C-alpha cells in the first residue's frame, strides 16, 4: 500500500535510536524526506547514514528537547533546508523514575520542560507552516502510563497525561485547518532504554536479564516485546495520507498489555 509520504517532509524528534528511529525508518523506506534530531551528534550522524540508504533526503541537527532555543534552532534548520513541514513527531527521553517524595520542585520543572513543554514548543514552531497550507499531521510519543499509571514512574504518569490532553485539545482547535493530532503509545518496545531498565530490574531482583524479560512478556497477551519497526509503521501511518480521517486518537502499540477498554 502506498501510504502517501513520498517526497513529503517529516521532522522526527529524539530519533537517533529507538522508537523515533523506527518511525524515521518506516517513513524513509517509503521515500519521505526527514529531519532527525537528538543530543549526541555521533549517534545522529550514524542514524542519518543508515536512513539515507533508503533513498529519501535525510538531514540532521542536534536537538535537546528540554531546551526551547535548541527546539527553535532544530526546526528552523529543517524549514531552511526543506522549505516547509508536512509532519512532526514529538518525542524525547523519559523523565526520571521515582516516587512522590523523591522529587523537589526542580525535578518537577525538569520533567515539565522535557515532556510537556517540549510538545507545546515543537508544535508551536511548526503550526504556522501547517496552517498556511491547511494540512499537517502531528504525532506525540507517550506511554501506557496515560491509561494505567506505572509504579515508580510518577513524573511520566503526570506529564504524559498532559501531553495526551494537549493533543486531543489541539485536534479539536485546529481541525478546521485540516491538521491532525494523534498520540502513539508504546507498550514494551525492545529499545536500548528498555534493555537498560530490564538490566536494572534484574539486578535488583538478583535474576538474569532473560528471566526478567520472560516475566515482562508473561504480562503481554502477544507474549513478546514489540520491535521498533512495528511501532515505526504505526507512527508512519498516523503521519501519512493513509490516516487522513484519524485525529485525536491515542493508539496503543502494546500487544494488548494495557487492560483498559478505552
Ligand atoms: N521503549 C518503550 O517500550 C517505551 C515505553 C513507554 C514509553 N517510552 C518512551 O518513548 C520515548 C522513546 O523511548 P525509546 O525506548 O525509543 O528510547 P531510546 O531507545 O533510549 O532512544 C531515545 C532517543 O531519544 C534521544 N533523546 C533522549 N533524550 C533526548 C532529549 N532531551 N532531546 C532530544 N533527544 C533525546 C536519544 O538520543 P540522545 O541520548 O543522543 O539525545 C535517542 O535517540 C521515551 O520518552 C520513553 O520514555 C518508551
Amino acid at each position: 500500500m502506498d501510504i502517501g509520504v513520498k517526497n513529503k517532509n517529516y521532522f522526527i524528534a529524539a530519533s537517533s535510536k529507538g522508537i523515533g528511529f523506527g518511525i524515521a525508518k518506516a517513513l524513509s523506506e517509503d521515500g519521505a524526506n526527514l529531519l532527525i534530531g537528538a543530543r549526541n551528534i555521533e549517534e545522529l550522524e550514524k542514524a542519518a547514514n543508515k536512513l539515507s540508504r533508503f533513498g529519501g533526503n535525510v538531514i540532521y541537527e542536534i536537538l535537546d528537547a528540554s531546551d526551547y532555543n535548541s527546539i527553535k534552532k532544530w526546526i528552523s534548520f529543517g524549514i531552511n533546508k526543506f522549505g516547509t513541514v508536512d509532519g512532526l513527531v514529538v518525542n524525547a527521553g523519559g523523565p526520571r523514575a521515582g516516587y512522590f517524595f523523591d522529587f523537589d520542585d526542580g525535578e518537577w520543572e525538569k520533567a515539565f520542560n522535557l515532556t510537556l513543554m517540549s510538545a507545546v514548543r515543537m508544535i508551536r514552531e511548526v503550526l504556522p507552516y501547517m496552517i498556511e497550507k491547511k494540512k499537517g499531521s502531528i504525532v506525540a510519543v507517550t506511554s501506557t502510563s496515560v491509561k494505567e499509571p506505572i509504579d515508580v514512574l510518577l513524573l511520566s504518569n503526570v506529564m504524559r497525561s498532559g501531553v495526551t490532553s494537549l493533543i486531543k485539545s489541539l485536534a479539536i482547535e485546529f481541525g478546521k485547518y485540516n491538521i491532525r493530532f494523534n498520540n502513539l503509545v508504546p507498550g514494551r518496545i525492545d529499545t536500548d532504554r528498555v534493555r537498560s531498565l530490564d538490566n536494572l530490574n534484574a539486578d535488583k531482583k538478583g535474576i538474569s536479564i532473560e528471566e526478567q524479560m520472560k516475566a515482562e512478556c508473561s504480562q503481554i497477551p502477544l507474549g513478546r516485546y514489540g520491535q521498533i519497526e512495528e511501532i515505526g509503521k504505526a507512527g508512519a501511518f498516523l503521519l501519512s495520507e493513509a490516516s487522513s480521517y484519524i485525529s485525536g486518537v491515542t493508539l496503543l502499540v502494546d500487544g494488548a498489555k494495557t487492560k483498559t477498554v478505552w
Side-chain angles (χ1 to χ4, degrees):
M1 179 172 80
D2 176 6
I3 62 168
V5 298
K6 198 170 169 52
N7 299 326
K8 298 243 168 73
N9 308 311
Y10 295 96
F11 295 4
I12 322 284
S15 46
S16 62
K17 286 184 190 170
I19 294 166
F21 182 81
I23 299 172
K25 184 169 175 232
L27 289 168
S28 65
E29 283 168 352
D30 276 340
N33 299 323
L34 301 175
L35 165 67
I36 61 169
R39 292 162 306 172
N40 181 309
I41 188 73
E42 283 89 21
E43 294 297 332
L44 204 47
E45 201 174 333
K46 271 192 229 160
N49 285 338
K50 279 189 212 158
L51 292 168
S52 13
R53 281 184 220 134
F54 299 112
N57 189 358
V58 183
I59 59 172
Y60 62 93
E61 169 75 5
I62 286 190
L63 168 69
D64 180 352
S66 63
D67 173 0
Y68 196 10
N69 285 330
S70 174
I71 290 174
K72 283 186 185 162
K73 208 170 146 227
W74 182 67
I75 287 171
S76 349
F77 179 81
I79 296 291
N80 286 339
K81 295 276 179 185
F82 291 143
T84 188
V85 53
D86 298 287
L88 165 74
V89 174
V90 172
N91 187 28
R96 256 194 64 200
Y99 293 104
F100 187 66
F101 284 113
D102 295 329
F103 306 121
D104 59 14
D105 282 8
E107 292 288 352
W108 278 97
E109 274 160 30
K110 263 192 215 158
F112 173 68
N113 277 317
L114 177 68
T115 307
L116 181 54
M117 285 313 292
S118 64
V120 171
R121 290 164 173 162
M122 284 182 204
I123 293 169
R124 187 189 283 144
E125 294 303 306
V126 299
L127 263 188
Y129 301 96
M130 295 181 174
I131 291 172
E132 196 187 343
K133 59 181 175 186
K134 292 205 163 39
K135 206 175 175 76
S137 177
I138 294 177
V139 169
V141 177
T142 63
S143 161
T144 56
S145 66
V146 304
K147 294 281 185 184
E148 298 175 321
I150 299 175
D151 186 43
V152 97
L153 290 184
L154 176 65
L155 295 176
S156 167
N157 298 341
V158 174
M159 298 302 166
R160 293 190 200 276
S161 295
V163 174
T164 306
S165 186
L166 171 76
I167 290 294
K168 186 73 172 186
S169 305
L170 298 183
I172 296 165
E173 186 178 343
F174 291 98
K176 60 180 181 250
Y177 296 108
N178 191 28
I179 303 172
R180 299 181 296 109
F181 294 80
N182 293 292
N183 292 292
L184 181 67
V185 175
R188 208 150 183 91
I189 307 296
D190 193 1
T191 65
D192 285 0
R193 173 179 159 90
V194 160
R195 288 276 163 161
S196 72
L197 286 173
D198 282 346
N199 262 317
L200 270 175
N201 288 326
D203 282 352
K204 262 193 223 158
K205 295 182 196 164
I207 59 176
S208 68
I209 181 159
E210 289 74 23
E211 285 170 310
Q212 175 61 28
M213 288 174 72
K214 204 169 156 202
E216 290 288 349
C217 289
S218 72
Q219 304 299 310
I220 305 170
L222 286 186
R224 62 177 178 85
Y225 289 5
Q227 297 302 309
I228 57 166
E229 286 77 10
E230 293 177 303
I231 193 161
K233 283 179 191 153
F237 166 70
L238 288 178
L239 289 164
S240 75
E241 285 300 301
S243 62
S244 51
Y245 199 56
I246 299 178
S247 191
V249 306
T250 291
L251 178 65
L252 300 181
V253 184
D254 72 345
K257 180 172 183 276
T258 309
K259 305 299 185 295
T260 54
V261 174
W262 294 103

